């Protein structure tokens, strides 16, 4: 019986691995370097970003200065449903993120073009921004960004005409 | 499939073996068994609704297989045939759809007309679940006399024409008039206006079709009026599209100041998005421009403007001809009770024009008599994507909610339908007790009927041909314009 259970687990695991590899939609190659001795200097440059996902879970990752928050989400393979549909070209509002007041003020000026798209986001707040337009700097170290619920944007009008 | 058979033999003790072997041959698909069948889902329509539904299903369960059927040889629906040529970034979603299509558990079958080549009933027999995502290929009609005159087009057809939809290839709209009137003030109406008035130098670098480009190069249209039933605060377009009109090179705005009476006072009560949109309109319509802008406007060769509180009552023909000479508009006033309603005043106004584009909404059509259809709302009646009184049948996208919303709207809508399907798989509401043949039986049926489906890699060849053709012209692609040219073997 024990043998059968072990074999079953082995088979189930290898099946899962097989389907995981086969079903990869985006699987970034994460290089793991096992260097002996001092850490490479590059890692000092990194900026810690905390995302609160739609289930309220906190996910802590790092990005490089200059990366947009959308870049970070993609590079770290964070699984936010439908995030960044237009791939950072200011043609949608699916990378909508919400910040606390203090962090929001640090994020810098917002262009009309960003605000035009942000205006269409569901659950828009006064401290909302589009993740594809926020670029990391060291001064944003430890920032917290909340991923809001992503129901339809405002252009889905129900004015009784349909 | 090779992996499953030996696995099953190792997974059971001798007591379980008989039971499980019989389950395999009966083909159970429940969560508990490691049998060789898998839930098979069929999706009808390969636009955003179809692809986002597929994406969500494939991601959520490692055993779901999805087949997407599409009437045309080419995928992507309105992303290819609806999004304006000068909005290429909006089409970036094609990359994510392509990943889904190339997934091992997803297959694309183009050139298959569901309802004609194969019935919904046949699909339901072959699949555990069928999802209708075929969108809205019809349009709402104005319902006024003269609507069928030469020179009157639906925005759906006009957009299809400039985007290379094969069924709209012969539209050949007459652009030899000075004034064009567009009914409707949504984003589609603004797209049409922008394409009519954009400098050719801008358009020729897009994937707009060559025949359209040639027609626009000869176009005499210099003035476009975008007409709505209600007032500025009710306008349906959004600010990005309005800003594009305001900034359109070689054009100047032409509005009626009186249309904006009382609007400034109403600003303070508006939510931010509506407020910014209205402010931009007010500025464009009423503000005296600075010197530079004044100069730019004086040099502009084309004009565009909104006309509010107007509804079409009749398209007027040239006496003795069946060509359009103008349009008669009823003048409305706004009654603000529960929302704002347009009410006729009894007065009318005639606007001379040579081109009318009716942009008052797309409309879904019934595909198969066996599928329930609400002809008043022009949708398939459903609850959270589950088609009413039809087990195993689902819908997503515009067919589910009506034809409004952008791609992201459809994405959320489709994820919701996928969630309903997954719930039903888990709860047993979806009957998974028997294995289904899926594309095996449908492919056999289609072959018998002389239908040759186009695969995704066939589409990739078309894609390459189009991009190559576009290269020599400095365009991202030069679209193939007929179904015949798209079929494999033609290239």
């Amino acid at each position: 019986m024990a043998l059968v259970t072990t074999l079953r687990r082995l088979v189930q695991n290898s099946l899962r691995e097989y389907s995981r590899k086969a079903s990869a939609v985006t699987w970034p190659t994460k290089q793991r370097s096992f260097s002996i001795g001092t850490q490479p200097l590059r890692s000092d440059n990194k900026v810690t970003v905390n995302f609160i996902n739609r289930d309220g879970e906190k996910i802590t990752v790092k990005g490089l200065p200059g990366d947009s928050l959308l870049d970070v989400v993609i590079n770290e393979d964070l699984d936010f449903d439908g995030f960044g549909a237009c791939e950072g070209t200011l043609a949608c509002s699916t990378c909508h993120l919400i910040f606390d007041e203090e962090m929001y003020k640090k994020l810098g000026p917002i262009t009309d073009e960003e605000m035009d798209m942000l205006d269409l986001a569901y659950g828009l707040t006064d401290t909302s921004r589009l993740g594809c337009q926020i670029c990391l700097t060291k001064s944003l170290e430890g920032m917290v960004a909340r991923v809001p619920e992503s129901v339809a944007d405002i252009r889905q009008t129900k004015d009784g005409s349909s | 499939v090779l992996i499953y058979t030996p696995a099953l033999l190792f997974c059971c003790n001798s007591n379980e073996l008989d039971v499980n072997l019989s389950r395999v041959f009966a083909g159970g698909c429940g969560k508990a068994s490691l049998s060789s069948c898998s839930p098979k889902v069929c999706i009808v329509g390969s636009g955003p609704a179809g692809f986002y539904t597929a994406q969500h299903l494939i991601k959520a369960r490692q055993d779901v297989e999805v087949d997407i059927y599409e009437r045309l040889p080419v995928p992507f629906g309105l992303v290819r045939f609806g999004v304006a040529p000068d909005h290429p970034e909006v089409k970036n979603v094609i990359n994510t759809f392509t990943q889904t299509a190339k997934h091992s558990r997803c297959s694309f079958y183009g050139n298959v007309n569901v309802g004609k080549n194969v019935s919904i009933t046949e699909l339901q027999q072959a699949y555990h679940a069928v999802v209708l995502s075929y969108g809205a290929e019809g349009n709402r009609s104005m319902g006024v006399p003269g609507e069928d005159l030469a020179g009157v087009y639906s925005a759906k057809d006009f957009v299809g024409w400039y985007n290379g939809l094969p069924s709209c290839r012969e539209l050949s709209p007459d652009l030899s008039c000075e004034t064009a009137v567009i009914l409707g003030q949504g984003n589609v109406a603004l797209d049409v206006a922008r394409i009519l008035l954009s400098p050719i130098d801008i358009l020729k670098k897009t994937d707009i079709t060559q025949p359209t480009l040639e027609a626009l190069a000869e176009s005499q249209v210099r003035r476009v009026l975008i007409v709505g039933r209600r007032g500025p605060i009710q306008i349906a377009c959004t600010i990005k599209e309005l800003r594009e009109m305001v900034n359109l090179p070689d054009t100047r705005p032409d509005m009626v100041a009186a249309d904006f009476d009382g609007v400034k006072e109403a600003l303070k009560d508006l939510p931010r998005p509506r407020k910014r949109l209205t402010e931009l309109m007010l500025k464009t319509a009423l503000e005296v421009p600075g010197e530079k802008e004044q100069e730019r406007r004086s040099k502009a060769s084309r004009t565009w403007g909104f006309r509010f509180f107007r509804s079409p009552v009749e398209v007027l023909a040239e006496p003795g001809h069946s060509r359009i000479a103008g349009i008669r508009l009823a003048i409305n006033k706004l009654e603000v009770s529960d929302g704002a309603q347009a009410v006729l005043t009894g007065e009318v106004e005639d606007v001379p024009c040579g081109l009318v584009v009716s942009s008052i909404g797309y409309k879904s059509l019934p595909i198969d008599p066996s599928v329930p259809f609400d002809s008043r709302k022009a949708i398939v009646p459903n609850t959270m994507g589950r088609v009413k009184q039809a087990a195993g049948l689902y819908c997503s996208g515009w067919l589910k909610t009506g034809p409004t919303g952008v791609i992201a709207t459809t994405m959320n809508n489709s994820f919701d339908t996928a969630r309903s399907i997954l719930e039903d798989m888990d709860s047993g509401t979806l009957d998974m007790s028997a294995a289904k043949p899926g594309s095996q039986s449908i492919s056999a049926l289609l072959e018998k009927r002389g239908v040759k489906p186009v695969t995704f890699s066939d589409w990739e060849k078309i894609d390459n041909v189009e991009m190559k053709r576009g290269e020599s012209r400095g365009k991202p692609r030069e679209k193939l314009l007929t179904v015949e040219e798209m079929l494999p073997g033609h290239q």
Side-chain angles (χ1 to χ4, degrees):
Chain A
M1 271 305 271
L3 180 64
V4 171
T5 318
T6 312
L7 279 169
R8 167 179 266 149
R9 210 176 296 131
L10 250 169
V11 161
Q12 277 177 332
N13 285 341
S14 62
L15 273 172
R16 223 174 284 136
E17 261 305 299
Y18 174 84
S19 13
R20 186 187 77 87
K21 290 198 178 102
S23 73
V25 176
T26 339
W27 293 95
T29 42
K30 277 164 76 162
Q31 312 290 63
R32 280 178 182 240
S33 52
F34 294 96
S35 56
I36 300 162
T38 54
Q39 296 276 0
L41 268 167
R42 238 169 65 99
S43 71
D44 290 353
N45 237 5
K46 289 204 165 184
V47 181
T48 307
V49 180
N50 302 291
F51 289 99
I52 314 278
N53 72 9
R54 290 172 183 133
D55 294 325
E57 295 164 341
K58 187 175 188 181
I59 301 162
T60 302
V61 291
K62 289 193 198 280
L64 289 170
D67 283 349
S68 74
L69 287 177
L70 176 59
D71 289 334
V72 175
V73 168
I74 292 174
N75 293 341
E76 298 298 310
D77 198 32
L78 301 181
D79 191 19
F80 307 145
D81 244 353
F83 200 87
C86 77
E87 301 179 1
T89 55
L90 282 180
C92 75
S93 58
T94 60
C95 66
H96 176 206
L97 292 168
I98 299 177
F99 303 87
D100 62 62
E101 281 249 28
E102 217 179 290
M103 180 51 61
Y104 178 77
K105 290 193 186 115
K106 285 193 198 169
L107 296 175
I110 180 172
T111 60
D112 272 341
E113 284 70 39
E114 180 185 341
M115 216 182 300
D116 286 354
M117 296 316 297
L118 191 56
D119 272 357
L120 309 178
Y122 181 78
L124 180 65
T125 69
D126 289 331
T127 55
S128 288
R129 292 291 301 265
L130 292 182
C132 66
Q133 301 300 299
I134 308 293
C135 287
L136 291 180
T137 61
K138 283 304 280 175
S139 65
L140 301 179
E141 169 66 30
M143 76 178 336
V144 180
R146 185 165 68 84
V147 185
E149 284 303 328
S150 67
V151 184
D153 78 26
I154 287 179
R155 283 180 280 189
Q156 183 206 16
T157 51
K158 292 201 192 288
D159 63 348
S161 56
S162 55
Chain B
V1 173
L2 282 172
I3 286 183
Y4 288 101
T5 326
L8 188 64
L9 291 173
F10 282 107
C11 277
C12 323
N13 61 24
S14 55
N15 290 338
E16 293 176 303
L17 192 64
D18 292 328
V19 174
N20 275 315
L21 276 175
S22 60
R23 278 175 88 188
V24 166
F25 290 112
C29 258
K31 266 161 79 177
S33 78
L34 251 186
S35 61
S36 60
C37 80
S38 46
K40 292 198 165 76
V41 179
C42 159
I43 296 181
V44 180
S46 70
F51 269 106
Y52 278 127
T53 308
Q55 179 188 307
H56 201 274
L57 288 170
I58 288 172
K59 213 169 144 191
R61 269 184 79 132
Q62 303 305 327
D63 58 351
V64 167
E65 286 171 21
V66 179
D67 292 337
I68 303 176
Y69 291 88
E70 162 61 50
R71 185 173 55 194
L72 287 170
V74 298
F76 309 135
L78 283 179
V79 180
R80 177 180 165 98
F81 294 116
V83 175
D86 56 350
H87 287 168
E89 336 68 42
V90 176
K91 302 190 201 190
N92 283 345
V93 291
I94 286 181
N95 298 333
T96 210
F97 299 163
T98 299
Q99 276 189 325
T100 301
K102 295 174 84 145
H103 192 283
S104 59
R105 288 185 283 117
C106 184
S107 300
F108 170 81
Y109 297 97
N111 194 41
V112 178
N113 188 330
V114 174
K116 196 166 142 212
N117 300 144
V118 59
S119 72
I120 295 286
T121 310
E122 285 166 338
L123 289 175
Q124 284 187 287
Q125 283 164 357
Y127 292 91
H128 293 104
V130 173
V131 188
L132 303 174
S133 311
Y134 62 81
E137 67 188 278
N139 60 269
R140 290 176 74 201
S141 67
M142 290 189 279
V144 302
E147 191 160 9
D148 299 320
L149 285 171
V152 183
Y153 306 96
S154 68
K156 168 191 82 79
D157 287 342
F158 197 84
V159 170
W161 173 67
Y162 67 61
N163 273 334
L165 186 60
S167 59
C168 296
R169 194 169 64 99
E170 319 269 274
L171 203 75
S172 313
D174 186 342
L175 304 176
S176 61
C177 54
E178 193 201 343
T179 301
V181 170
I182 302 174
L183 281 332
Q185 297 174 325
N187 286 335
V188 177
L190 264 63
D191 278 354
V192 172
R194 200 177 64 250
I195 296 298
L196 280 171
L197 295 179
S198 281
I200 288 289
D201 283 341
I202 293 177
L203 292 177
K204 73 182 186 200
K205 296 184 200 133
T206 70
D207 64 6
I208 199 168
T209 71
Q210 197 58 25
T212 305
L213 211 48
E214 285 164 17
L216 288 172
E218 306 289 303
S219 164
Q220 305 292 309
V221 175
R222 294 290 175 271
R223 184 166 163 255
V224 175
L225 300 176
I226 307 166
V227 178
R229 291 171 301 148
R230 298 182 292 176
I233 297 178
Q234 289 76 41
I235 206 170
C237 65
T238 51
I239 194 171
K240 174 170 180 261
E241 286 72 13
L242 175 60
R243 214 184 277 286
E244 286 173 334
M245 286 310 298
V246 172
N247 295 333
L248 196 57
D250 196 28
T251 67
R252 66 183 148 80
D254 158 32
M255 311 277 201
V256 173
D259 281 348
F260 294 86
D261 286 345
V263 171
K264 195 159 175 213
E265 292 70 26
L267 273 179
K268 58 178 170 21
D269 298 320
L270 300 174
R272 186 182 100 180
R274 177 61 65 183
K275 183 159 180 252
R276 289 181 74 239
L277 171 62
T278 311
E279 277 171 343
L280 180 57
M281 251 194 295
L282 275 173
K283 181 176 175 205
T284 308
L286 303 180
E287 210 178 78
V288 176
E291 204 180 303
K292 208 169 160 202
E293 172 64 9
Q294 191 79 277
E295 206 193 320
R296 191 195 72 82
R297 289 189 188 184
S298 64
K299 287 187 186 156
S301 66
R302 300 172 179 199
T303 68
W304 67 278
F306 293 128
R307 292 292 179 272
F308 295 100
F309 310 108
R310 300 287 186 276
S311 299
V313 289
E314 189 179 342
V315 182
L316 308 166
E318 256 170 56
H321 289 81
S322 59
R323 256 212 72 77
I324 173 184
I327 185 164
R328 177 159 293 160
L329 303 172
I331 301 177
N332 302 325
K333 65 172 193 261
L334 215 54
E335 240 176 43
V336 184
S337 51
D338 181 27
Q341 306 277 15
V343 169
L344 294 170
T345 59
E347 287 175 57
V348 294
E349 172 182 270
D350 289 354
V351 178
C353 62
L355 177 66
V356 165
V357 179
S358 162
S359 183
I360 59 176
Y362 285 63
K363 196 166 82 167
S364 291
L365 305 177
I367 194 178
D368 190 297
S370 68
V371 177
F373 193 81
D374 179 339
S375 22
R376 191 180 64 85
K377 290 189 196 164
I379 57 169
V380 169
N382 70 91
T383 316
M384 311 233 294
R386 297 177 174 97
V387 178
K388 288 187 181 163
Q389 289 153 3
L393 204 55
Y394 300 82
C395 56
S396 68
W398 280 3
L399 185 61
K400 171 183 169 188
T401 57
T404 56
V406 295
I407 294 174
T409 319
T410 296
M411 176 179 78
N412 286 308
N413 160 333
S414 303
F415 287 172
D416 270 347
T417 295
R419 277 189 274 266
S420 294
I421 297 172
L422 292 163
E423 264 170 37
D424 291 353
M425 282 182 182
D426 288 348
S427 69
T429 307
L430 250 184
D431 185 7
M432 317 258 278
S433 59
K436 296 275 193 170
S439 59
Q440 270 190 330
S441 64
I442 300 299
S443 296
L445 259 176
L446 291 172
E447 201 181 329
K448 238 191 316 179
R449 294 170 185 172
V451 176
K452 208 162 177 295
V454 172
T455 65
F456 200 74
S457 69
D458 288 331
W459 148 249
E460 287 179 305
K461 294 197 186 85
I462 297 171
D463 194 21
N464 285 329
V465 165
E466 291 187 341
M467 289 193 288
K468 198 137 181 238
R469 283 167 35 142
E471 236 176 74
S472 53
R473 290 194 163 131
K475 297 165 86 171
R477 71 178 60 241
E478 188 60 65
K479 287 178 182 171
L480 296 180
L481 300 178
T482 64
V483 168
E484 207 188 11
E485 287 174 293
M486 294 172 184
L487 293 175
H490 190 100
Q491 284 99 48

